Amino acid sequence: MKKLLLICFTLLTVITAKAQFPMMGGGNAAPKVTGRISATIIDSLTKQPVEYATVSIINTKTNKAVNGGLTDTKGKVAISGIAPGDYKMVVGFIGYTTKNVMVKTTPEKPDNNLGNIVLAGSSSTLAEVTIEGKKSVIENKIDRMVYNAEADATNAGGDATDLMRKVPMLSVDINGNVQLRGSAVRVLINGKPSGTMANSVADALKMIPADQIKSVEVITNPSAKYDAEGSGGIINIITKKSNAEGVSGSVNANVGTRQNNGNFNLTAKTGRLSLNTALGTMYAYPQESRVIFLNETPSSRVLQDGMSDWSRQMYNGSFGLDYDFNAYNNISTNVKYNRFYNGGPGFSNVTVNNLTATNTSKTDASNGNLDWNVDYRKTSKKAGEEFSIAGQLTSGRNSNEFSNQLSYSGMPAGIPVFSQNIGRNKEYTLQTDYVYPVSKTIILEAGAKGILRNIKSEYAQNSAQDFDYDQNVGAAYSTISFNLTPKIKFKGGARIEYTEIDFLDANGVHNKNDYFNFFPSAILSQTVNGSTTIKLAYNKRIQRPSLAYLNPFRNEANQFSVFQGNPDLDPELSHNIEFAYSTFIKGSMINASIFYRRTNGIIENFNRVDDVDPNKIMTTFNNVGVSESFGLNLFGSYNPIPKWTLMSNIGVNTYQVDNKVLNINTDTYLNYNLFLRSATTLKKGFSFELYGVVNSPRYTFQGKTGAMFFYGAAVKKEIMKKQGSIGLNMLNPFNNDLHIQMRNRATDSFQTQDIYYPLRFVAATFSYKFGKLKFTEKKKIKNDDVKQDQQQGGGMGGMGQGK
C-alpha cells in the first residue's frame, strides 16, 4: 500500500505544481464558459418598449450569426451562450430602421448589459438569419470510431440496445450483451463507470432511451490515458445535455407484450448554473421459459426438464449540478442510484440415475448501486491547457436468495433447502489529469489515479468468516501526440500500475497478491486523401476479475449444477495489434480492420465434478491458458438514395487456447457475427427500419454455445412539429421461441443446457422532447480496468426480456 500511495503522491505533486498558472507559453484564450448579452429596446419617440423586435448577435471576425432572440413585452432581451469576443448586435423590427451596436465580452467579464437601445421609425425590416449544421453519422478519429446518434433520425423511441446494433464493430446478442471483436468490453457513461453496468450491461442499456444519447465512441486501442482496460476495448456512451438558458427535457415510454419502460429527463440552466435530473423504470412481465439440463459424472446421470417463470423490475434516478465560476474554473457533481430485481418460481421433472423426482424452486436476485462523483476543471489563457481533479464513490449491494425442494416418487416430500448471499462492494477513486499543448500540433498529457476497492460477501450461513477482499490500484501515465507530417499523426504513451490485493478466505487465512505492470501504447494514422485514413496501433491491457468472478458463495439455485467464484484468479494480460482502413465515398462509408490479440491467463467458465458431492457438477472460473486470436471487422454504410440507408457490420475472429499446465490445446475455431439494416425516411415524418442479426456458434475452452438468429422491424411517425414521435417495434414476429444450445465437456464431466424462451415481442413507443437543446460533453473520471461477468443478464432469467 505504501508503494501505491507513493506513486500517486509523487505524480500528483508534480502535476499540481505545474498546474498553478500562469504557465509556459502564451496564446489566445480558448474559454470554456459562455456569457450573456442583454439589452432593452425602446421607441425613439414614445420611449415605450418595442415588443418582439428581432435581435441577432454577429461575430465580427467571421461575420456570421452565433445566436439571436426576440424582445419580450417589456422590450427586454437576453441572449445566452456567447463566448468571449467581439460582436455586433443587430436589432430590427417592421417600421424601424435596423440598429447596429458593437459589443465586446471577455473571459473575466463574459456578461454585458447594453442598457437601452433606441430604434428610430422606418419602413425597413431585419431579415432573419437561419443557422443550420449537421454532423455525419460516423466519424473516424485517430484513436476511436464515433457514431453520432443524434444525426440518425431512426433512433427515436428505442433504447440504447437498439442503438448499439448500429454502431460500427459492435455485436449485440439477443439479451443485449455487447461484444467488440469477439470479446467483452467496458461500457462507460460520459466517461464514467456505473454500478449498473458492472452488474449487467444488458439491463443498464435497456434503461437508457436512444433519444438521450448524443454519440457512442468505440475505442479499440485505448491510449495510456485510460485505465489499462481489457482486450475488447472501451465503449463510451455520451448522453445529451442542454446548454440552453431555460428548461428542456424529454419523456419516453415503451409499452409492449413483454416489457415496459418509462423515462423522464429534465435540465434547467440559468446563467452559469445548470441542473439536470432523470428518472426511469422498467417492468418485464413473467415469461415461461423451458430449460432442459443434462449432467453426467462418473457416478451419476441427472436429467432436468422444467419451466421457469421469471420477471424483471428496475428503476433509477439521478441528479447533477454544473457551475462555471468564470471562463477558467468549472465544478460539476452527479449522483445516481439504481435498483434492479429479477427472479421467480420454477418447476422441473428430474431423473437421477433412473429415479424420478420433482423439484420446486424459487430464485430472487437484486442489486442496488449508488454512484457519486465530483469534478473540478481549470483552464488557462493558453488554448487547450487544462488541469482537472476528480473524485468518485461507488457503493453497491447485491443479494441472491434461492430455495429448492426435491421430492422423489413414492417417498415423502424432501426437506426444502434455502440459502442466501449478500455481497457489498465499495470503490473510492481519486484522479488528476493535466494537458499541455506545446504547439498547435504537439500535445502532452500526464496524470495519476488511485482506486481503493473493498468487496465483502456473506457467502455461507454456517460460516463464521465472510469473504473480505481488498483491491487497491495506483497508476500514473504520460502521453504525447504530434504530426510527423501534415498527413501523418502519432499518439503514444506509457502507463504504470501497481495493484495490491489482500483477502481472507473461508478459513480466515490471509492471502496477498501484489503485482506491478507496464502498459505501452502507440497509434500511427495517415490521411491518404481528404476522405481515406489508414491506422496502425499497438497496446497492452489488463482485466482484473470483478465480484461475480471472485465471490466464493456456493450458489445451488440448481442443486445439481453448482456455481462458485474463484478468489485466486489472476488478471488477464493482453497484447493487441490492429491495422485499419476507412474511407468515405459520396456519403457512404467503409471501415475495415484486421487485428491480432494474445491474451495470457484468459478467464473462462470451468466445469469439474463437485468436491462436496460427486453427483454434482461445479462451475467456476479459471485462468485456462493463453489465447491467440486473429480477426477481421468490416463495416459499411451506403445510401442508394438520400433517404434510404443500407448498413452492414461483419465480424470474424479465431478462437484457440493453449494450456501448458494441463497440456491441452483446443482446436482453432471461427466465430462470426453479421448485422444487416435497412432504414428509410418517408414523407410526412414516417420512417421504417428492418434489421437482422446472425451469431455463429461460440466456443470456449470446454464448451460451445449454438448459433442464434433474430430479426426485427420498427416504424415511427413524427408528431408535435417533430418534437415527438410514436412508433411500433417488433422482434421475431414470425417465431415465438428461440432455442439456444450450450455444451460443456470437461475431463471428468459432461453438461448440456437447452433453453427455449419466448422471443416474439411487439411494443408501442412514444417520445417527446421540449425546450431548446444544445449539447455539450464534460470530462469525467473513468474506471475501466475490471473484467465484468459475461454471464450477467444472460442466464435463464436474463434471457427473457431482451429486445
Side-chain angles (χ1 to χ4, degrees), residues 501-539:
I501 294 176
D502 191 337
F503 68 94
L504 296 176
D505 62 18
N507 300 316
V509 178
H510 192 79
N511 294 268
K512 287 186 67 65
N513 182 20
D514 299 351
Y515 48 87
F516 178 87
N517 298 103
F518 173 73
F519 302 99
S521 65
I523 303 175
L524 198 62
S525 173
Q526 179 177 2
T527 301
V528 179
N529 53 49
S531 60
T532 302
T533 305
I534 58 175
K535 298 179 188 178
L536 180 64
Y538 164 79
N539 64 46

Side-chain angles (χ1 to χ4, degrees), residues 665-799:
N665 294 324
T666 68
D667 293 331
T668 300
Y669 301 103
L670 189 68
N671 296 329
Y672 63 86
N673 61 272
L674 172 64
F675 171 71
L676 298 171
R677 174 189 178 226
S678 172
T680 308
T681 302
L682 306 173
K683 295 181 179 180
K684 297 183 179 180
F686 281 94
S687 62
F688 182 68
E689 183 176 3
L690 291 169
Y691 68 89
V693 178
V694 179
N695 289 330
S696 73
R698 287 293 189 268
Y699 295 89
T700 61
F701 182 69
Q702 291 182 332
K704 171 185 174 182
T705 300
M708 288 185 291
F709 166 71
F710 56 96
Y711 54 92
V715 60
K716 296 182 178 67
K717 171 69 169 69
E718 293 179 339
I719 58 175
M720 301 178 181
K721 299 181 180 180
K722 297 185 178 181
Q723 291 296 103
S725 72
I726 56 175
L728 189 68
N729 289 348
M730 294 173 285
L731 180 65
N732 272 38
F734 305 111
N735 302 84
N736 187 57
D737 293 334
L738 180 69
H739 177 206
I740 295 182
Q741 299 177 317
M742 289 177 278
R743 305 289 184 263
N744 287 279
R745 185 178 296 277
T747 55
D748 58 359
S749 63
F750 176 67
Q751 184 181 74
T752 71
Q753 183 177 358
D754 289 79
I755 302 175
Y756 302 83
Y757 71 94
L759 183 61
R760 182 182 294 147
F761 175 76
V762 179
T765 66
F766 170 79
S767 67
Y768 174 70
K769 56 185 178 182
F770 54 90
K772 181 180 179 182
L773 299 178
K774 178 182 178 183
F775 308 116
T776 60
E777 173 187 350
K778 293 288 184 183
K779 180 180 178 181
K780 299 296 182 183
I781 198 170
K782 304 177 275 292
N783 288 354
D784 36 47
D785 60 307
V786 178
K787 182 179 179 74
Q788 305 301 325
D789 183 4
Q790 300 174 31
Q791 304 302 314
Q792 292 293 328
M796 291 168 53
M799 302 181 67

Side-chain angles (χ1 to χ4, degrees), residues 238-259:
I238 306 298
T239 59
K240 295 178 180 178
K241 295 182 181 179
S242 175
N243 194 37
E245 196 80 11
V247 178
S248 59
S250 67
V251 178
N252 296 269
N254 182 320
V255 179
T257 56
R258 301 177 62 231
Q259 179 175 301

Side-chain angles (χ1 to χ4, degrees), residues 278-470:
L279 298 171
T281 184
M282 181 270 285
Y283 176 74
Y285 304 113
Q287 296 288 323
E288 287 191 348
S289 301
R290 184 186 179 192
V291 183
I292 302 174
F293 276 100
L294 173 63
N295 288 354
E296 292 184 349
T297 69
S299 59
S300 68
R301 184 180 189 276
V302 180
L303 176 65
Q304 299 170 270
D305 188 346
M307 301 291 292
S308 65
D309 195 17
W310 282 27
S311 64
R312 291 185 160 209
Q313 301 172 36
M314 186 175 183
Y315 60 86
N316 60 22
S318 66
F319 176 79
L321 178 151
D322 189 284
Y323 182 71
D324 292 311
F325 294 100
N326 51 40
Y328 306 118
N329 294 274
N330 169 272
I331 189 169
S332 63
T333 184
N334 184 270
V335 60
K336 178 169 59 177
Y337 179 78
N338 58 75
R339 183 78 178 171
F340 172 75
Y341 160 84
N342 68 21
F347 177 85
S348 62
N349 295 309
V350 184
T351 302
V352 182
N353 295 333
N354 297 321
L355 296 177
T356 59
T358 59
N359 186 70
T360 303
S361 63
K362 191 175 189 305
T363 299
D364 292 303
S366 67
N367 60 69
N369 297 280
L370 174 70
D371 299 315
W372 178 38
N373 63 271
V374 179
D375 304 86
Y376 167 75
R377 186 181 74 246
K378 181 180 178 65
T379 57
S380 79
K381 290 186 177 182
K382 183 173 180 63
E385 188 172 29
E386 181 178 294
F387 168 76
S388 64
I389 185 167
Q392 178 169 297
L393 163 66
T394 297
S395 178
R397 182 183 186 276
N398 304 334
S399 66
N400 194 333
E401 302 178 26
F402 64 83
S403 65
N404 284 292
Q405 186 173 23
L406 185 67
S407 301
Y408 286 92
S409 299
M411 300 178 65
I415 300 175
V417 178
F418 300 91
S419 191
Q420 180 184 34
N421 171 238
I422 297 177
R424 296 178 175 86
N425 64 284
K426 288 189 176 181
E427 184 175 293
Y428 304 90
T429 304
L430 181 65
Q431 173 179 330
T432 181
D433 300 279
Y434 173 57
V435 181
Y436 180 72
V438 179
S439 67
K440 291 183 178 180
T441 59
I442 302 176
I443 299 176
L444 296 175
E445 296 179 278
K449 188 172 187 176
I451 308 173
L452 305 179
R453 295 187 176 107
N454 174 257
I455 297 171
K456 290 186 178 180
S457 174
E458 302 170 6
Y459 63 92
Q461 290 181 329
N462 58 354
S463 173
Q465 181 63 56
D466 293 335
F467 177 61
D468 195 344
Y469 186 95
D470 288 306

Side-chain angles (χ1 to χ4, degrees), residues 118-162:
V118 179
L119 289 187
S122 174
S123 59
S124 62
T125 61
L126 177 67
E128 285 190 359
V129 179
T130 302
I131 307 169
E132 292 185 357
K134 185 177 181 180
K135 286 185 177 180
S136 56
V137 176
I138 304 295
E139 288 185 90
N140 187 23
K141 299 185 178 181
I142 185 172
D143 60 348
R144 68 196 65 195
M145 185 73 67
V146 181
Y147 169 72
N148 290 307
E150 61 182 348
D152 190 341
T154 64
N155 289 324
D159 59 33
T161 306
D162 305 313

Side-chain angles (χ1 to χ4, degrees), residues 469-491:
Y469 186 95
D470 288 306
Q471 181 191 92
N472 303 317
V473 181
Y477 76 90
S478 179
T479 70
I480 183 171
S481 58
F482 56 87
N483 293 349
L484 291 171
T485 71
K487 292 187 176 182
I488 300 178
K489 299 179 180 180
F490 173 82
K491 185 173 185 178

